Amino acid sequence: MTTASSDAAQRPPELTGQTVVVIGGSGGIGLETARRARAEGAAVIVTGRDPDRLKRAAADVGALDSAAFDATDPDALARFFEALPETIDHVMVTAGGPYYAPLADLDRERAHRDFDGHVWLAVAVAQHAVGRVRPGGTLLFMGGTGGRSRGPGLSLIAAGTAALPALVANLAVEVAPIRVNLIAAGFVDTPLSAELLGDDLEARRDQLRATLPIERVVGPADVAALAVHLMTNTALTGATYDIDGGQQLIHRT
């Protein structure tokens, strides 16, 4: 039997013998990526802020190790990298959610935390990765597509959305031969999305099912599949990969 499905089922795992670190791996996209990496034969190390939630996630995926800390704390992040195995293969960062606020209500401290959790965290991880991530390994960061729109409440997230692709492209040159890529996600059906939307979640799901070209909602497993592909395809670096089910292709009302 030579069908594509049987070939896929019989192929060897793509991450055997490799170590994948997921910063923000206690839930949602991070947890699903850790699960996918384990299925591909990797040892995984997961981090998160909530010790109890992280403990459950680590047990769920059979993690090699876990560490509970705030990734935006420079000292804690440095200690984490110092404690890692001498050589690791891939680091994925999913920590931090979006901060939406109209200009009149913009909180300066929260805005600073948002930039720390996205732009500055990417810089810090890249600094720590040199000498720890093997040549040809991957740094993989999460961004979004929502900030490409214009409107009230989007000023801050739009700035971050524009900054990350430029940062990732430059980091890919500066830390080469370590590879650096960015995943820009649209709506993904995660616990964070549920928290942000509250009672509007189901209506949002229905709206996406009715309008997206793929006729379904993007889930964490979709993003995890892309993340593992970026880890295994050694020709990919310095680029931004959109995953939104075609959301940017449809007219927004």
Side-chain angles (χ1 to χ4, degrees):
M1 188 173 182
T2 59
T3 64
S5 60
S6 64
D7 287 345
Q10 296 174 22
R11 65 169 175 77
E14 294 188 285
L15 293 173
T16 299
Q18 299 186 36
T19 301
V20 175
V21 175
V22 183
I23 297 176
S26 62
I29 292 169
L31 177 58
E32 194 61 40
T33 300
R35 187 177 289 119
R36 178 90 178 207
R38 282 289 292 135
E40 292 293 345
V44 300
I45 298 170
V46 292
T47 84
R49 297 187 185 190
D50 185 321
D52 293 335
R53 186 180 179 197
L54 180 64
K55 183 178 180 180
R56 292 192 296 271
D60 178 9
V61 300
L64 173 67
D65 201 358
S66 63
F69 68 99
D70 181 352
T72 64
D73 179 334
D75 294 334
L77 186 68
R79 288 192 297 268
F80 170 71
F81 269 89
E82 288 168 2
L84 286 174
E86 184 175 340
T87 301
I88 57 177
D89 298 277
H90 311 284
V91 179
M92 182 176 184
V93 181
T94 68
Y99 174 42
Y100 298 96
L103 190 60
D105 300 328
L106 196 63
D107 181 275
R108 180 182 177 85
E109 292 303 317
R110 188 168 177 186
H112 275 288
R113 290 198 302 271
D114 184 75
F115 266 80
D116 283 347
H118 292 90
V119 177
W120 281 112
L121 181 56
V123 172
V125 167
Q127 289 176 318
H128 290 297
V130 176
R132 183 73 63 174
V133 175
R134 67 165 172 83
T138 315
L139 303 182
L140 186 55
F141 299 102
M142 283 297 306
T145 61
R148 297 174 189 171
S149 302
R150 301 292 175 259
L154 296 178
S155 295
L156 184 66
I157 194 171
T161 298
L164 277 173
L167 175 61
V168 162
N170 281 274
L171 289 177
V173 175
E174 191 157 2
V175 304
I178 298 171
R179 297 180 295 113
V180 188
N181 288 296
L182 175 68
I183 294 177
F187 178 90
V188 182
D189 201 346
T190 65
L192 176 60
S193 297
E195 181 182 334
L196 291 171
L197 288 175
D199 294 340
D200 296 327
L201 176 62
E202 197 55 47
R204 181 61 168 151
R205 288 169 172 163
D206 290 342
Q207 186 262 338
L208 290 168
R209 293 186 190 106
T211 59
L212 289 182
I214 64 171
E215 298 183 347
R216 66 176 181 85
V217 181
V218 176
D222 299 307
V223 184
L226 174 58
V228 169
H229 176 69
L230 294 174
M231 294 174 191
T232 59
N233 189 328
T234 58
L236 304 178
T237 192
T240 298
Y241 297 88
D242 290 0
I243 179 165
D244 66 355
Q247 188 174 344
Q248 295 175 89
L249 307 178
I250 61 177
H251 177 67
R252 296 185 179 185
T253 56

